[in-house]
Amino acid sequence: MKEKLLNILRDFRQEIDSANSLEEVETIRVAYQGKKGHLKTILKDMGKLSKEDKPVIGKLANELRDEIDATISQKVKEIKQLNMKQKMESEYIDITLPGKRQKFGAIHPTSKIIKRLIDIFYRMGFELTDGPEIESVYNNFDALNAPKSHPSRDKSDTFYFDEETILRTHTSPIQIRTMKRLKPPIRTISIGRCFRNDEFDSTHSPMFYQMEGLVVAEGVTMANLKSTLDTFARELFGEGTNTVFRPHNFPFTEPSAEVDVTCFKCKGEGCKFCSHTGYIEILGCGMIHPNVLEECGIDSEKYTGFAFGMGIDRITMMKYEIEDIRRLYENDVKFLEQFRR
Ligand code: DAH
């Protein structure tokens, strides 16, 4: 029996030496120390031993068990250390290597101006309203008092889907939607894309941005329109900016005006940006025509209002001194990257 035990120890040592993984060690442990392991199997015969042999063999069996236990623990420790070392080596990062440069995007200059416009008008108490780019001929023209003969309605100037549906040519149809939806007092701005069948050149784009302003309440006058636009012009272009109202004609306003502001570049001296006039045209405006108010169900005897519409691209080009509108639509990253700040 003593021999059998020593054989077990010898076999165990061999097997454990060649084990490389925790799984293998576990298999060996079960084979030797488990309930049906070699050691237990042999010790079953202890009862048959003589009185003298029993303690000797018992002691030997205990020593053997302790040795197997200790060897296994030691082996497990070694394998774990080895695994950790291999993992560290495989995940090694050379922190001295040069990094990969992160590319940051920039906000598009038109988006920056839009944000600025919203900020300015929010502070004056205006709310933002919206309308679709695909509009009815009714909202875009008829409800805005444009006669059937108005040149902008021409098939060659406007993108028609069918007789009643177009790509809106301005943001003014949002006025109609807003006045039909809300009751006075109304004080809103609306921003969006508009479409006209223009050739793409340095000052024209078939798709462009406009901002519309609308105020309807009791007792609104041209003086309110003027002070609103004066305040706006000074906020956007700086103190000392003057506005000039020139009489004009729009079907949806009466009286109507175009508004020029002091040239941002020469401050009124005259330069190439303002064609040496000292002023730059930025918008159209006027007192809302009674026909338009009535069309939207607003009593034109009780309420008056003003409206204005401006080209956002134009303003963006002025603010950032961009000389060609096409730059705003080309998605040229080299160009757009300049607007990081
Ligand atoms: N819708 C006009 C345009 O596209 C601009 C405009 C002029 C809007 C006068 C207005 C306005 O609201 O009152 O040229």
Side-chain angles (χ1 to χ4, degrees):
M1 193 148 177
K2 185 175 172 188
E3 207 164 305
K4 276 190 189 166
L5 285 173
L6 291 174
N7 280 346
I8 285 180
L9 187 59
R10 196 194 56 226
D11 291 350
F12 167 76
R13 281 185 178 146
Q14 267 178 11
E15 285 185 42
I16 201 82
D17 269 352
S18 58
N20 305 314
S21 70
L22 292 176
E23 292 77 26
E24 282 174 67
V25 173
E26 177 59 12
T27 312
I28 295 170
R29 190 191 65 77
V30 173
Y32 285 86
Q33 302 278 57
K35 279 201 186 103
K36 291 178 185 160
H38 302 314
L39 208 56
K40 288 258 159 52
T41 315
I42 290 175
L43 295 180
K44 268 189 196 140
D45 293 338
M46 281 278 277
K48 294 175 192 159
L49 291 173
S50 67
K51 250 195 187 150
E52 298 79 44
D53 284 348
K54 241 185 209 168
V56 180
I57 295 295
K59 187 164 173 272
L60 182 64
N62 279 343
E63 282 169 6
L64 209 103
R65 193 197 56 222
D66 290 348
E67 175 165 352
I68 292 179
D69 275 350
T71 310
I72 286 177
S73 311
Q74 178 61 24
K75 188 76 183 180
V76 165
K77 211 168 129 191
E78 280 168 21
I79 291 177
K80 280 189 176 164
Q81 271 172 358
L82 195 73
N83 285 352
M84 178 56 88
K85 196 167 160 240
Q86 281 170 349
K87 190 166 179 289
M88 301 258 273
E89 275 167 11
S90 70
E91 291 175 3
Y92 175 72
I93 297 169
D94 183 352
I95 56 163
T96 66
L97 282 175
K100 285 196 191 118
R101 191 175 284 277
Q102 283 286 342
K103 277 219 160 202
F104 287 103
I107 307 287
H108 194 284
T110 307
S111 301
K112 288 192 177 182
I113 292 295
I114 288 174
K115 182 170 183 303
R116 184 89 183 91
L117 294 174
I118 293 174
D119 279 352
I120 293 172
F121 282 99
Y122 260 18
R123 278 187 283 121
M124 289 198 271
F126 284 72
E127 280 178 69
L128 201 54
T129 61
D130 208 357
E133 289 168 9
I134 298 174
E135 244 317 348
S136 63
V137 168
Y138 168 79
N139 281 337
N140 196 88
F141 294 121
D142 298 305
L144 286 163
N145 200 36
K148 289 265 185 274
S149 61
H150 201 274
S152 64
R153 298 177 76 130
D154 201 285
K155 294 261 161 32
S156 63
D157 287 346
T158 296
F159 296 111
Y160 280 80
F161 290 93
D162 55 43
E163 290 300 318
E164 279 111 49
T165 323
I166 55 168
L167 284 174
R168 70 179 173 207
T169 61
H170 50 182
T171 43
S172 303
I174 306 174
Q175 287 186 32
I176 302 300
R177 291 175 176 274
T178 306
M179 285 190 281
K180 287 194 172 181
R181 192 165 55 83
L182 304 178
K183 291 213 170 354
I186 296 170
R187 189 160 42 173
T188 58
I189 54 164
S190 312
I191 292 170
R193 280 188 274 256
C194 306
F195 307 84
R196 288 181 199 173
N197 192 8
D198 286 330
E199 285 294 330
F200 215 7
D201 64 24
S202 65
T203 54
H204 294 89
S205 164
M207 187 193 83
F208 55 97
Y209 282 84
Q210 277 195 347
M211 187 190 96
E212 196 79 13
L214 173 70
V215 173
V216 185
E218 278 182 72
V220 174
T221 69
M222 190 101 186
N224 301 131
L225 167 61
K226 213 164 175 298
S227 69
T228 301
L229 292 179
D230 277 352
T231 307
F232 158 70
R234 279 197 299 275
E235 283 285 326
L236 188 62
F237 297 111
E239 281 302 323
T241 304
N242 281 328
T243 56
V244 173
F245 284 63
R246 281 182 290 103
H248 201 76
N249 173 53
F250 296 106
F252 33 90
T253 43
E254 183 58 37
S256 306
E258 276 191 334
V259 175
D260 303 338
V261 293
T262 317
C263 176
F264 67 97
K265 189 73 178 164
C266 64
K267 307 283 175 226
E269 296 281 306
C271 69
K272 72 170 179 158
F273 281 96
C274 56
S275 314
H276 304 281
T277 61
Y279 281 90
I280 294 180
E281 183 212 317
I282 60 158
L283 57 86
C285 65
M287 300 306 293
I288 302 171
H289 198 292
N291 289 356
V292 176
L293 292 173
E294 294 294 336
E295 184 65 33
C296 297
I298 294 173
D299 181 354
S300 64
E301 294 291 328
K302 186 169 178 202
Y303 298 104
T304 50
F306 65 76
F308 51 91
M310 67 184 88
I312 294 179
D313 304 76
R314 187 93 194 282
I315 289 173
T316 305
M317 288 164 74
M318 281 166 71
K319 281 294 268 190
Y320 292 104
E321 298 188 22
I322 297 166
E323 293 188 19
D324 191 325
I325 194 173
R326 288 172 289 200
R327 298 286 96 80
L328 298 177
Y329 294 100
E330 284 166 342
N331 290 331
D332 176 352
V333 173
K334 279 240 157 53
F335 169 76
L336 294 172
E337 270 174 350
Q338 304 174 75
F339 303 96
R340 286 252 177 76
R341 301 149 286 129

